Amino acid sequence: MKLMASSLIHVRPLASAAASAFLRPSRLVSQPPDLLKWVRREGGFVHQSVKIAFFEEEKPNGLGLGLGLIASDDIPKGSDLIVLPEHIPLRFEVKNGESSALTDLARHVPEELWAMKLGLRLLQERAKKGSFWWPYISNLPETYSVPIFFPGEDIKNLQYAPLLQQVNKRCRFLLEFDKLVRDALENVKLDDHPFGGQEIDASALGWAMSAVSSRAFRLYGSKRPDGTRDDAPMLLPLIDMCNHSFRANAKIVQEKEASNESMLVKVIAGTQIKQNEPLELNYGCLNNDLFLLDYGFVIPSNPYDCIELKYDPALLDAASMAAGVSSPNFSSPTPWQQQVLCQLKLDGENPDLKVRIGGSELVEDRLLSALRVLLCNDREAVEAADVKTLKSVTAEAPLGISNEAAAFRTIIALCVIALQHFPTKIMDDEPLLEQTFSATTELAVRYRIQKKSLIIDAMRNFTNKVRQLSSQETVASQ
C-alpha cells in the first residue's frame, strides 16, 4: 500500500512531490515566512547565534540532508538557545465535555497511533486561512521519508517482518480512517467542518501523522485539578528543527514563567557548542525500526537496535537442536519451570511473547532467564538463584558453566535462524549502495544492512562468551 501526498489550502499540490525528493524535501511553500522572526515576534527567544541552515553533506551519524539549526558562533554551555512561551507550541487540547467534529474523529484514533490525533489538529490549522501557526506550518517539509510513503517494492526491500507488519498496519489504519473521516464529515455544515470544507484523504492524513511522529515531543501539558500536569505531545516550532544525536549538545527543559503560571519550553546548551556545529537533541534511546517508522532515517551501528522474535517453544527446539543442546523442556516444561515462565510473562494468562536480541542488553533479560531455567534440571539451584541474577547477561554463570554455554549457543542459533529469514545477505546488499537508486530504495537497503549487522554482532559477542566459558571450564578441570 502506497500513500501519495495530496493538496490542501495555502500550498501547491503535494501530489507532485516525488519520492526522490526525500533527501532534499522542499517546504510546503517556496518562500515561507521567516520562522526565527515569527518566534521572536510572538514573544519567544532565539539566541543570536542560532541560525537555520541546509546541511549540504550527510552527517556522520547517518542522518539525511535537510534543514536544521546551527551555531553561527561559539555558544557557552548553559546558554538559552530557544525559549517558547506557552501559546506557541501546537497541541491537541479538549476541555471537559467539549465535543466537535474534530474531537469526535480523534476518539477513533488508537493510543499507539497518538501522532494521528495531533495530526488532525495540524491539518485543521493547515486548512485554516490566517492560522496563527501558518508561519510554522508553511516551513514543514512537503514530503517525509517514512515507509508509509515508500513504493510497494521498497516496502518489500526492508525485508524485516516485524517492521513490514508495522508499516502495513499504519497503511491499513490510514485507509480505514480515511473512509471514517469521509463518512463522518459528509453531512457536516461548513461552519462546523474541522477542515473548512476541504476533503481530507489518506494521503493528507499520512502527511499529518508523519509530520507529528517525526517532530512532536511529549512534555508536560495542561494542569489537572490536583496541580499535576498531563503528559501531552506537542509540536514545538523551531525547536523541532534540531537534529538527533545520542550525544546531544542541547536539551529541552520546561520552566514556569516568573510573572505567571504559564509554562515555558526551553532548549539549553548542554555543552559548549562551537561555531558551525549543529544543534542536536536526543530523540530517545530507540531502535532503527522506530527511527525509520517515525523519523524516516536509520542510525548506523545504533547501540539500541535489536531484532524482535516471538517466544515460541518450537523455535527454541529448532535453535537448541541446531546448537547441539536440545532439551525436551522447551516444548514440555516441568511445572516448576512453567511457574518461572509465568513470572516472566512468557506463559500463562496474557503473556507477552515478544522478546529481543541485540541492543544495549545484548539479549532481553526474560529470554535469557527462560533459557537458563529450561536448560537446567536442578530445581533447587534455580529456586536458590536470585531472580535479578538469572536475568543478567553479565552474571557469572548463575546455574553453572555448562548451562550458561548451552544458553548462549541457543541464542547464537536463534540469530542464525533470524538471518536465514532475510532473502539476501549483506554481501549482496552492500554493492547495491554503489548503484543509482531512488532515495527510498537506498534507505531500505541501509536499514536491512544495519539489521543484519546487529545480528552478526550479537553472534560474535555470544561466541566470545562461549569461548570464555570453555576456557574457564578447562581451567576448572585441571
Side-chain angles (χ1 to χ4, degrees), residues 92 94 97-109 117 120 177 180-181 184-185 188 194:
F92 187 96
V94 180
E98 183 183 17
S99 180
S100 67
L102 192 72
T103 58
D104 290 343
L105 289 174
R107 292 189 182 98
H108 294 278
V109 178
K117 187 176 291 187
L120 290 172
F177 194 53
L180 187 150
V181 171
L185 301 181
V188 172

Side-chain angles (χ1 to χ4, degrees), residues 109-124:
V109 178
E111 181 57 34
E112 63 184 289
L113 296 177
W114 57 268
M116 187 71 265
K117 187 176 291 187
L118 181 53
L120 290 172
R121 180 83 169 92
L122 177 64
L123 282 176
Q124 183 182 47

